[in-house]
């Protein structure tokens, strides 16, 4: 479970993801922030984020896919094809 915290029009969004259980009631101290680039929001092409199903405060599913050491940000994906992949 993740919650949209900020939308950067035409670029992506910042989300908050629970650390471990997936429970949206997890305290803020055990949640991490990640960035979802516009190309990783959906398997279909997304032209605009604003005005669609993604609004600040809306809840969705996401998966951490990378960590950028330079910026200190986790990278996430909301693509269905990524969410259904097995994790080793």
């Amino acid at each position: 479970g993740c919650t949209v915290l900020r939308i950067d029009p035409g670029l992506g969004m910042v989300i908050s993801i629970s650390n471990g259980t997936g429970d949206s009631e997890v305290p803020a101290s055990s949640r991490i922030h990640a960035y979802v680039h516009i190309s990783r929001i959906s398997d279909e092409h997304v032209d605009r984020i604003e005005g669609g199903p993604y609004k600040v405060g809306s809840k969705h599913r996401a998966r951490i896919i990378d960590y950028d050491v330079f910026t200190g940000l986790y990278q996430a994906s909301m693509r269905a094809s990524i969410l259904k992949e097995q994790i080793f």
Side-chain angles (χ1 to χ4, degrees):
C2 75
T3 304
V4 177
L5 298 179
R6 184 183 82 214
I7 294 176
D8 298 329
L11 297 175
M13 63 181 105
V14 177
I15 60 172
S16 174
I17 300 177
S18 60
N19 188 3
T21 64
D23 183 2
S24 62
E25 300 303 318
V26 172
S29 61
S30 62
R31 296 178 70 83
I32 58 174
H33 294 96
Y35 197 81
V36 181
H37 187 265
I38 192 169
S39 65
R40 294 182 176 149
I41 292 175
S42 174
D43 286 324
E44 290 79 37
H45 180 73
V46 175
D47 286 325
R48 296 179 47 146
I49 304 168
E50 57 281 357
Y54 305 100
K55 297 178 174 77
V56 173
S58 63
K59 303 208 182 298
H60 306 277
R61 291 182 63 218
R63 176 176 283 173
I64 298 292
I65 57 172
D66 197 11
Y67 178 72
D68 187 345
V69 176
F70 184 72
T71 62
L73 280 176
Y74 288 94
Q75 303 294 318
S77 178
M78 293 179 169
R79 298 176 104 181
S81 61
I82 299 295
L83 295 173
K84 71 179 181 180
E85 289 287 326
Q86 294 285 333
I87 298 176
F88 293 105

